[in-house]
Amino acid sequence: RALQLYQEILRFKTSQVEAATPPDSFALSSLLQVYEDMLDMNKARLGENNDNDATHKEIAELLLKMGTLYNTKFKDHKKAMEYYQKSLQVGKIKKDHKHVGDVLNIMGVVYAKNGSHKKALKCLNDSLSMRRTVLGDKHIEVGLALHNIGNLAAKEGDHRKAIASYEEALGIKREAYGPESISEAKTLHSLGLVHNQAENYDAALKCFKHALSIRKEKLGDSHLDVAFSLNSIGKIYKKQGDKNNAMECFSTSMNIKKSLLASDHISIAETISEISYIHEENGDIENAIKSQSAALFIYQTKLGDHMNTADALVSLSRMYDSIGDYTMAIDSYTNAIRIQEQILGRDHLTIAETMYLLGKVHQKNGDIDKVLSLFK
């Protein structure tokens, strides 16, 4: 009876946390305490009957939920992993292979987000093996695991593995959800990103266009995912030299983003920057500088000294150089180098390249001493 009461309290507290924007620290702490109390109660029940599978399952699920709370709400990934590990151990002890596979998948995603790619890959591969054994090769959760492995392989630059994982995931999703599902569009878009990385631009464009078609049909023309698809298609057109279609995609993407996101959102800055490059390639340096300056302002405001900020400064320097405004070019290159050194260290190749470009501007400006200093 007490456990039922706590479950009702848990549902209420959970709804409070989910409704709060931004997260309410008191509500989060209160929810965590309910989890702790329920965990203690179940452990006490287990002491009376250690073979109670239902209680073991309840404990494993509580530990998993507590880990997710720490991961998603408290942003304490280390603490989250402690609870995930405990939940995993309970699942292993009771040979609950389905639960073990689920926890391993979650752990893999968290490790990947935090840059621990080797740990992530082991968790995701173990999860995939477990799910194949328990659920069969065609189960949707196998497809979801394959998608996550594809994401990680893409980050690692293993294009072949990423493509194979995404393509198998696509086949499973089409069987499970039917053709043209939102989930299929998500994997198609990810597959397009990998083809783009591998410089398979025709294949990338095909994937992005297919994903765009599904998203427009299922979500409407003004959905944010449609904007993301258009932005990716624009990048491919740009690489293929199709400036008109690239500009059309970027402009439409920008209009959707501006209607849905804050005016200083990073995603808007990224698209403004792409538009700037098209203006530059078209010889419209005035609008190129105007667009890149707008992107730079957002990066500086939202990110501070970040590589996106440095990249925007380098682009602006190149534009200023092209119109003979060497003072602005030198100032922008100098600021870019300062940020690059801060992030990459003084001996990184990227910094050497930026210094070379700065030296070329000083050469045009007649400052030979500066040129010699930078080239050394």
Side-chain angles (χ1 to χ4, degrees), residues 322-338:
S322 72
I323 60 172
D325 190 343
Y326 301 135
T327 300
M328 288 298 294
I330 289 167
D331 183 62
S332 298
Y333 275 136
T334 302
N335 280 326
I337 289 169
R338 176 185 60 79

Side-chain angles (χ1 to χ4, degrees), residues 74-237:
F74 288 106
K75 306 300 180 184
D76 187 340
H77 306 303
K78 185 177 179 182
K79 194 75 174 176
M81 279 299 176
E82 290 177 14
Y83 281 97
Y84 289 147
Q85 289 283 3
K86 290 176 183 178
S87 181
L88 184 65
Q89 289 306 312
V90 175
K92 285 181 176 179
I93 289 168
K94 299 309 292 182
K95 293 183 170 55
D96 186 346
H97 301 307
K98 171 69 167 61
H99 180 80
V100 169
D102 291 345
V103 178
L104 284 168
N105 187 66
I106 292 169
M107 290 173 65
V109 172
V110 175
Y111 275 133
K113 284 183 178 177
N114 287 285
S116 300
H117 291 170
K118 286 185 179 179
K119 290 181 179 179
L121 190 58
K122 185 179 188 316
C123 287
L124 291 174
N125 281 329
D126 289 348
S127 172
L128 178 61
S129 297
M130 192 72 69
R131 286 178 169 181
R132 285 191 192 277
T133 301
V134 176
L135 303 171
D137 290 337
K138 298 300 182 182
H139 195 278
I140 187 57
E141 290 192 18
V142 171
L144 298 176
L146 284 163
H147 181 97
N148 289 334
I149 289 171
N151 288 346
L152 186 59
K155 286 181 181 178
E156 292 279 272
D158 189 344
H159 301 141
R160 184 176 297 179
K161 182 169 185 177
I163 289 168
S165 298
Y166 285 140
E167 286 181 344
E168 187 178 354
L170 275 175
I172 294 169
K173 287 184 175 186
R174 284 167 182 156
E175 278 195 33
Y177 297 136
E180 310 291 286
S181 69
I182 291 300
S183 187
E184 179 183 342
K186 180 180 179 181
T187 300
L188 278 167
H189 189 85
S190 297
L191 181 57
L193 293 173
V194 178
H195 280 304
N196 182 27
Q197 289 174 1
E199 300 181 355
N200 302 324
Y201 298 131
D202 289 339
L205 191 58
K206 183 179 179 181
C207 290
F208 288 143
K209 284 186 172 181
H210 192 173
L212 175 64
S213 173
I214 295 171
R215 286 171 169 176
K216 279 187 170 182
E217 181 184 343
K218 301 291 185 181
L219 303 172
D221 291 345
S222 299
H223 194 276
L224 195 55
D225 284 348
V226 171
F228 292 148
S229 287
L230 285 165
N231 198 71
S232 295
I233 291 170
K235 287 181 179 180
I236 300 297
Y237 280 137

Side-chain angles (χ1 to χ4, degrees), residues 157-317:
D158 189 344
H159 301 141
R160 184 176 297 179
K161 182 169 185 177
I163 289 168
S165 298
Y166 285 140
E167 286 181 344
E168 187 178 354
L170 275 175
I172 294 169
K173 287 184 175 186
R174 284 167 182 156
E175 278 195 33
Y177 297 136
E180 310 291 286
S181 69
I182 291 300
S183 187
E184 179 183 342
K186 180 180 179 181
T187 300
L188 278 167
H189 189 85
S190 297
L191 181 57
L193 293 173
V194 178
H195 280 304
N196 182 27
Q197 289 174 1
E199 300 181 355
N200 302 324
Y201 298 131
D202 289 339
L205 191 58
K206 183 179 179 181
C207 290
F208 288 143
K209 284 186 172 181
H210 192 173
L212 175 64
S213 173
I214 295 171
R215 286 171 169 176
K216 279 187 170 182
E217 181 184 343
K218 301 291 185 181
L219 303 172
D221 291 345
S222 299
H223 194 276
L224 195 55
D225 284 348
V226 171
F228 292 148
S229 287
L230 285 165
N231 198 71
S232 295
I233 291 170
K235 287 181 179 180
I236 300 297
Y237 280 137
K238 185 183 76 170
K239 288 176 179 177
Q240 292 180 331
D242 189 344
K243 293 179 285 188
N244 290 337
N245 274 322
M247 181 63 90
E248 184 180 345
C249 287
F250 290 140
S251 298
T252 307
S253 176
M254 172 64 69
N255 289 335
I256 296 170
K257 288 181 179 182
K258 282 185 174 179
S259 71
L260 298 172
L261 301 173
S263 60
D264 61 350
H265 196 281
I266 295 300
S267 185
I268 288 177
E270 290 169 352
T271 302
I272 292 174
S273 186
E274 294 291 352
I275 289 172
S276 170
Y277 296 137
I278 301 298
H279 283 311
E280 183 183 13
E281 289 180 11
N282 283 331
D284 186 355
I285 304 303
E286 183 180 347
N287 276 318
I289 290 174
K290 183 179 178 182
S291 296
Q292 197 64 254
S293 297
L296 175 63
F297 179 78
I298 296 173
Y299 289 142
Q300 288 174 325
T301 303
K302 304 296 285 189
L303 302 176
D305 288 347
H306 188 275
M307 282 306 296
N308 284 16
T309 308
D311 290 344
L313 283 164
V314 169
S315 296
L316 274 172
S317 303

Side-chain angles (χ1 to χ4, degrees), residues 62-80:
L62 283 168
L63 289 165
L64 179 59
K65 289 176 180 177
M66 290 169 78
T68 300
L69 187 65
Y70 273 112
N71 180 46
T72 60
K73 299 299 183 180
F74 288 106
K75 306 300 180 184
D76 187 340
H77 306 303
K78 185 177 179 182
K79 194 75 174 176

